[in-house]
Structures are given as C-alpha cells and as structure tokens.
Amino acid sequence: MLGSSIGYVFSGFQSNSKKEKADYTYNSYAFTQTENGWVFSKDNRQIPVDYLPKDVKDISFATIPFDKGKVYIAFNVSEKDSMGYSLSKVYTFLKERGFNPFFACISEEDCPDIPVVDCQKSNYPIVLFQRGNVTKIYVQEQCMILEGDTLGLSKASDRFVYGVLGVM
C-alpha cells in the first residue's frame, strides 16, 4: 500500500508541456488543478498537493531546523495503514527537495526492519505522524508532529509542504 501511494505521489511531479491558466493564486504562486489534485511551481519544480493554502490555513504550524541531511519520518506501526498516503507524500516531498528521508517506528513493538526513533534522543530531525482528533502541527523535542485523523493528516502533510517551502 505504501508503494502504490508513492507511485501516485510521484505521478504529480510530471511537468505538463502546455501552458495552463492558473485556477488559483496564493502569494504569487499559481495553482493548476490536475486529475490528482493541484500543482504549483517552486524553484522550477512542480509540487503536487491535494489541498490549496486556503484549505489548510487554519492548521497550526511549527517547525524544527532541517538541513539537507537525514530526516526520519516516524509512525506508530498499528496506525500505519490509515496514514500511508500522508507518509508517502512527505517522504516524496523531502526526497525531491534533496533530503535523505528514512521511515522509522516510534516503538519496537511490531516494527519491521527499520529504525526505531525517540523524540528526546534523536540526533536527526523527526517528522512524526500521530493520530488525533484535532489537525495540527507542533514541535516536541526533536520531533515535528503532524497530528490528525486520516483526512487531517493529508491536510497537515500539505501544510507541512507549504511551511517548509515558505509558501505560507
């Protein structure tokens, strides 16, 4: 399931050869609707998103320092199936921007053969996906936590993209 989500996300990075009129503009960024959502350009790259800035503007946003090195994308194994698409969106975005992302678990229980990370002890930034009733992004120690239900995590993922790129 995670692999098919990554393939879907990568399909949004294909550039359209003909010029299209922007369907929505935000802070001088032109958004064009596609079959898979929306696309805007930043640093000569097409960035696919599911939600426009106006759809995620109310999601609180806090960040931790990122450099172009290793970044963990962490999750609770028991919740992975409901957040696979959002995990893939953030992984693909970070990889395309020159980061070195790795999936990780937050506990050893049922964790496949990937690292287990801890927000208090990590030497690298962690983007932690967490189930919750309220959609938000906040910082706790070395973790940037994206929290929400399945739909909320998808919105938080796009808010993450906009925040890291400085779009909003």
Side-chain angles (χ1 to χ4, degrees), residues 99-168:
F99 293 91
N100 195 10
F102 292 91
F103 288 114
C105 299
I106 57 170
S107 74
E108 290 188 29
E109 185 177 336
D110 296 325
C111 185
D113 192 20
I114 59 175
V116 176
V117 295
D118 184 325
C119 293
Q120 296 176 341
K121 299 175 184 173
S122 181
N123 293 325
Y124 300 100
I126 300 169
V127 179
L128 173 60
F129 283 77
Q130 188 168 283
R131 300 279 299 165
N133 295 326
V134 177
T135 303
K136 58 186 173 180
I137 300 173
Y138 60 98
V139 172
Q140 189 173 29
E141 284 110 14
Q142 277 294 95
C143 284
M144 182 177 185
I145 301 171
L146 281 65
E147 186 174 312
D149 59 14
T150 302
L151 179 63
L153 286 172
S154 183
K155 287 183 174 185
S157 297
D158 284 351
R159 179 65 180 95
F160 171 84
V161 168
Y162 294 137
V164 171
L165 291 176
V167 172
M168 60 185 304

Side-chain angles (χ1 to χ4, degrees), residues 41-94:
S41 183
K42 172 78 175 178
D43 301 329
N44 295 317
R45 290 188 175 182
Q46 295 291 307
I47 311 294
V49 291
D50 295 310
Y51 299 95
L52 295 169
K54 69 180 181 177
D55 300 325
V56 298
K57 67 179 173 44
D58 293 331
I59 298 173
S60 60
F61 181 78
T63 189
I64 55 178
F66 286 97
D67 57 19
K68 294 288 183 177
K70 183 186 281 189
V71 177
Y72 287 111
I73 300 172
F75 56 91
N76 182 331
V77 173
S78 67
E79 299 173 341
K80 180 184 71 161
D81 289 342
S82 66
M83 56 182 67
Y85 177 70
S86 298
L87 289 165
S88 297
K89 280 196 323 185
V90 170
Y91 178 91
T92 302
F93 168 74
L94 290 171

Side-chain angles (χ1 to χ4, degrees), residues 26-39:
Y26 180 86
N27 284 348
S28 75
Y29 293 97
F31 291 79
T32 303
Q33 192 162 21
T34 69
E35 292 177 6
N36 297 326
W38 297 89
V39 173

